[in-house]
């Protein structure tokens, strides 16, 4: 299976839109998945995309709108009236509906909600809007299948049929008591294999994993991954079943989390995409570049302190970029390993053990690299002392850089700060400065200027 | 919900193992999830962990073993006989079973397979072993629920009950014809709401997304994410249903993919973890460090070409680390944005448009940073020409670095090479060299040495 938007396909659609061949367009898109239509809308120019959204019926376009990039969605929704938006929202599951309403401008939110036709649906959406984006409450949907422990299998199947109308996919059947307190779950298998008169009480599984509404999204992701869950029920503070989170929403959380770490490591302070505006990209990139500039100025001033060595030891100054680069590279490597270990929750042992290990590792790597550099410098400059000074400095710098790269993320994590901030420009810049300082200091000891 | 292995808990288990209080241990771990037991085994020392594995019955330990880290699993399995391993494998789903057998030493594989009790299961595992790790065939499991389009709902429910015994979770009911060709799927909802005499032919959904056995795992991940699928059937070359992939296996693919990009950006050539041996870590880290060393030596030689300028323009040499660092930072930022855009398949437009955009962006960022640096250098050195030379160079370097950082990953991607290789040390090193070259060249033009 694969649907690809070829150039020809795109041109055909554009022509059909230009000639307003609505029947033809509807036929063409009838069998196409909403995720593909969303891609199509993003490929088309804005007016053509809007034309498609307005042409297709809201059962289909609601999903298309939910699937669009946030930026594109914002632009499209601006062109729709509150009533039109409400029609789309009416078709969506509560979680997507709440997400889209949350993105609307404050003054429009209430208007859209007041236009929702299904009052029950509207109430649920309003409830979901109360929760923070990055909590279980912000992720969950209200659509679920639940049965009362006091029913029997027959009543249960009957009730489930009614509930299933509202629910696109049945993940689990949750069992509650008369107060809506989550008691357990019912397996489809048992339901299929038990006589209709059996009481639910006698067949349901008393154990069910759940999270509370205020649980952080990353913790929910961790739990669902660890226990291989495809859906998890969400309960309120007193244990009442209030919603459920499915794994597809968690996939997004996991992906965003991994991408965020990568972006931080690359020196981007905001979540940006290649298609964002130059202003957004500048806002994400400039802060770390300023830090880099500051670091570079610091390095220049440090080198200025050793200006007296310039005349006799010019060669030292040629090697500062090498020292700085190696300090940066080693620091980035060690911090990345720690940050990933922390993110995957598989760092065992104490901080001092980590540092000791990194120290041994840096000892090995540093020695190999220092020997190579020594050989090269000696051959190039035929000056034993200079070659010695440069290579010993490299050795020392690699060790210090490795230890800083290991320590800072562990330290930040202990302090409750996201350690990912310590990768990338932060570690490179600080290691540049430390590296150059150590380098000139050791060179001075050996060469005596 | 949350299970945490506290120090006290760990000590209690250790004491119970030391005193061989088997009954007590079994009671204590009876209600504990296998994923938690796996964590416990990893926290304990090797012999205690092995003791637990041997103590618990294989229904539980099979899942624990599947859940362990590959390294830990290898060590544990070395201590078990082929027959013991086969007992564990017998309890596992085919996909996990095949993964574990694939990890065994060649000579042990056949022996373990010959000890498998369930012949049908063994045949399926052997079939799965044929597929590459990173294809749909390598990810899929044989456990699924399928019905023949010629049955009626009653036969179908009866058959499903039998099949469901083998299947832990029912994701979808697939419909096949007499030749096992995948025709569509059956919704549980329809099954619950249709009379038992209805023919399956009349109720099943004719449309079902599927992938072929040879599809790449990343493509499967992309499809399942895009279409929000929780399971996808796998067909062979002629369309016969041969297995199914569930979203929890895809979560691992997505995570590994994201982590791989991050590790490459951090200059790690292999997938390593903080707990790997020093040798493994060195193997992952040293290659890029060598490249960095080479780059640094190159930079030193380039600076050597301009040695004549040292006497009158020593200050230029103080600013090389700044220039090199900025070139590296800008390059990493732009390449990361491109690599992520490529990974998420949301880069639209031509390469020249991308380069033009990066050019404009670098123009803005470069101008801001150059003005700041100019002001600083002028105040520090009170030399207009030097300040001008350094800041204009920075401006030029930022533009070139941005363009290189954008172009290289796009170019590699066009050539079918993983663009993630272009982030991190590769881009930093090449940008260092280009940066320094441009810097001295522009300075020479302005200051005329």
């Amino acid at each position: 299976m694969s649907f690809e938007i070829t150039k020809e396909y795109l041109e055909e659609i554009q022509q059909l839109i230009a000639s307003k061949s609505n029947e033809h367009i509807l036929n063409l898109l009838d069998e196409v998945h909403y995720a593909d239509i969303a891609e199509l809308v993003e490929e088309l120019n804005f007016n053509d995309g809007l034309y498609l959204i307005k042409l297709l019926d809201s059962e289909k376009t609601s999903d298309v709108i939910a699937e669009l990039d946030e930026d594109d969605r914002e632009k499209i929704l601006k062109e729709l009236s509150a009533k039109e938006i409400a029609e789309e929202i009416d078709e969506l599951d509560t979680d997507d509906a709440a997400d889209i309403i949350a993105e609307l401008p404050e003054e429009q939110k209430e208007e859209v909600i007041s236009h929702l036709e299904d009052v029950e649906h509207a109430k649920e959406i309003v409830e979901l809007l109360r929760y923070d984006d990055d909590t279980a409450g912000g992720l969950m949907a209200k659509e679920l299948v639940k049965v009362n422990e006091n029913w029997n299998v027959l009543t249960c199947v009957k009730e489930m049929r009614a509930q299933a109308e509202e629910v696109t996919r049945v993940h689990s059947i949750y069992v509650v008591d008369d107060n809506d307190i989550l008691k357990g779950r019912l397996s489809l298998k048992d339901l299929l294999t038990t006589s209709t008169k059996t009481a639910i009480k006698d067949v349901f599984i008393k154990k069910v994993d759940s999270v509370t509404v205020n649980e952080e999204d990353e913790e929910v992701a961790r739990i669902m991954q660890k226990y291989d869950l495809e859906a998890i029920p969400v309960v309120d503070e007193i244990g009442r079943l209030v919603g459920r989170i499915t794994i597809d929403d968690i996939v997004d959380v996991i992906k965003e989390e991994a991408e965020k770490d990568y972006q931080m490591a690359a020196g981007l302070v905001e979540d940006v995409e290649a298609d964002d505006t130059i202003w957004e990209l500048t806002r994400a990139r400039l802060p770390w570049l300023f830090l880099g500039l500051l670091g570079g100025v610091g390095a220049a001033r440090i080198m200025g302190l050793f200006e007296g060595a310039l005349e006799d030891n010019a060669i030292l100054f040629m090697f500062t970029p090498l020292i700085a680069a190696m300090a940066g590279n080693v620091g980035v490597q060690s911090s990345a390993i720690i940050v990933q270990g922390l993110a995957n929750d598989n760092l065992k042992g104490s901080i001092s053990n980590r540092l000791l290990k990194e120290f041994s590792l840096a000892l090995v790597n540093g020695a190999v690299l220092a020997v190579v550099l020594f050989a090269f410098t000696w051959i190039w400059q035929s000056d034993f002392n200079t070659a010695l000074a440069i290579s010993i400095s490299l050795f020392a710098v690699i060790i210090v850089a490795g230890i800083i790269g290991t320590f800072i993320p562990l330290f930040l994590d202990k302090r409750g700060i996201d350690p990912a901030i310590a990768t990338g420009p932060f570690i490179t810049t600080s290691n540049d400065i430390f590296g150059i300082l150590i380098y000139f200091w050791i060179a001075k000891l050996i060469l005596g200027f």
Side-chain angles (χ1 to χ4, degrees), chain A:
Chain A
M1 61 157 299
S2 98
F3 169 91
E4 217 188 319
I5 300 176
T6 59
K7 222 177 139 188
E8 292 72 36
Y9 189 84
L10 206 59
E11 275 167 10
E12 189 187 346
I13 296 270
Q14 282 165 335
Q15 269 169 14
L16 290 173
I17 293 174
S19 62
K20 299 210 191 318
S21 317
N22 294 352
E23 278 302 306
H24 200 142
I25 299 176
L26 288 173
N27 270 332
L28 198 65
L29 296 180
D30 185 39
E31 286 280 289
V32 179
H33 192 280
Y34 61 79
D36 292 317
I37 298 185
E39 216 173 286
L40 187 61
V41 168
E42 287 174 352
E43 290 275 351
L44 289 169
N45 72 41
F46 178 70
N47 285 326
D48 286 357
L50 189 63
Y51 187 88
L52 280 192
I53 298 270
K54 292 203 167 189
L55 177 63
L56 301 172
D57 62 9
S58 36
E59 205 180 318
K60 197 149 203 172
T61 50
S62 58
D63 286 323
V64 172
I65 289 175
E67 194 74 18
L68 287 175
D69 231 40
E70 200 178 320
D71 297 345
D72 294 315
R73 180 165 49 239
E74 196 190 323
K75 274 187 255 166
I76 298 269
L77 292 185
K78 263 198 190 137
E79 301 296 318
L80 301 183
S81 70
K83 193 156 179 302
E84 284 171 314
I85 298 177
E87 275 168 25
E88 305 287 351
I89 301 273
D90 263 325
E91 298 288 340
L92 287 173
D93 276 357
T94 47
D95 53 346
D96 291 332
D99 287 346
I100 292 182
I101 290 185
E103 287 170 24
L104 293 175
E106 273 316 313
E107 63 278 11
Q108 212 180 7
K109 277 181 195 164
E110 275 188 47
E111 209 190 329
V112 169
I113 293 171
S114 72
H115 277 104
L116 292 175
E117 284 216 339
D118 182 340
V119 180
E120 205 46 48
H121 194 227
K123 258 163 61 183
E124 291 178 339
I125 295 172
V126 170
E127 186 200 325
L128 290 183
L129 285 171
R130 286 211 315 264
Y131 302 109
D132 268 349
D133 238 17
D134 54 354
T135 62
L139 280 174
M140 73 185 185
K142 302 293 292 178
E143 287 82 3
L144 50 81
V145 177
K146 67 177 176 189
V147 298
N148 191 305
E149 57 174 348
N150 299 316
W151 297 347
N152 64 21
V153 169
L154 187 67
T155 331
C156 180
V157 170
K158 231 166 62 192
E159 282 286 333
M160 276 175 57
R161 282 185 192 171
Q163 293 180 25
E165 293 292 308
E166 299 289 311
V167 179
T168 336
R169 277 178 286 198
V170 179
H171 289 88
S172 280
I173 305 156
Y174 300 117
V175 180
V176 295
D177 67 9
D178 292 334
N179 295 317
D180 241 5
I181 304 279
L182 179 67
K183 305 298 277 187
R185 66 191 170 82
L186 197 60
S187 91
L188 274 171
K189 222 195 285 184
D190 290 335
L191 207 62
L192 285 172
T193 51
T194 319
S195 117
T196 49
K197 280 179 198 153
T198 316
I200 296 299
K201 237 190 201 94
D202 299 330
V203 286
F204 83 89
I205 304 156
K206 261 93 187 169
K207 212 170 162 268
V208 60
D209 297 318
S210 65
V211 290
T212 56
V213 276
N214 297 318
E215 193 67 81
E216 259 185 74
D217 56 355
E218 288 172 20
E219 178 63 12
V220 179
R222 201 188 61 77
I223 291 172
M224 292 189 74
Q225 278 182 83
K226 179 167 175 187
Y227 300 112
D228 274 349
L229 305 174
E230 287 171 10
I232 195 166
V234 183
V235 296
D236 67 8
E237 290 78 357
I238 58 168
R240 282 179 306 198
L241 178 62
V242 291
R244 62 105 183 91
I245 297 172
T246 51
I247 186 77
D248 54 312
D249 298 315
I250 288 301
V251 167
D252 297 337
V253 173
I254 294 169
K255 234 178 122 175
E256 273 166 31
E257 180 60 10
E259 291 192 348
K260 203 190 66 193
D261 283 357
Y262 180 25
Q263 293 203 326
M264 281 213 214
L268 302 164
V269 295
E270 285 178 36
D271 179 23
V272 282
E273 280 173 24
D275 283 317
D276 285 343
T277 63
I278 291 196
W279 164 238
E280 284 165 328
L281 286 163
T282 301
R283 225 171 41 195
R285 292 171 62 161
L286 209 48
W288 277 132
L289 292 179
F290 260 116
L291 181 77
L293 194 72
L294 208 70
V297 165
R301 303 219 62 159
I302 289 173
M303 290 168 75
L305 298 176
F306 297 92
E307 212 175 341
L310 205 52
E311 208 169 315
D312 292 332
N313 299 288
I315 187 72
L316 283 185
F317 288 79
M318 314 290 171
F319 278 99
T320 42
L322 183 147
I323 296 289
M326 295 305 278
N329 287 344
V330 170
V332 168
Q333 285 182 338
S334 20
S335 59
I337 290 175
I338 297 294
V339 167
Q340 272 199 343
L342 288 170
N344 292 334
D345 208 16
N346 61 11
L347 276 196
K348 276 139 208 158
S350 65
I351 290 195
S352 50
N353 276 339
R354 287 276 144 226
L355 293 176
L356 194 68
K357 181 163 188 185
E358 179 64 31
F359 178 73
S360 330
L361 184 67
L363 225 55
V364 175
N365 287 353
V368 174
L369 295 164
V371 167
V372 173
L373 185 64
F374 175 81
F376 170 81
T377 328
W378 197 13
I379 292 167
W380 185 26
Q381 293 289 315
S382 3
D383 178 344
F384 183 85
N385 278 342
T386 304
L388 193 71
I390 293 176
S391 49
I392 286 186
S393 304
L394 178 68
F395 182 62
V397 164
I398 286 176
I399 290 171
V400 175
I403 287 179
I404 293 179
T406 304
F407 179 73
I408 291 185
L410 287 170
F411 174 78
L412 291 179
D413 186 58
K414 270 253 181 305
R415 286 283 167 127
I417 301 169
D418 185 352
I421 206 170
T423 51
F426 182 78
I427 215 86
T428 336
T429 305
S430 53
N431 277 359
D432 272 13
I433 295 188
F434 279 114
I436 291 175
L437 197 60
I438 293 168
Y439 171 61
F440 278 101
W441 182 69
I442 292 182
K444 191 174 176 172
L445 274 180
I446 295 179
L447 304 174
F449 44 81

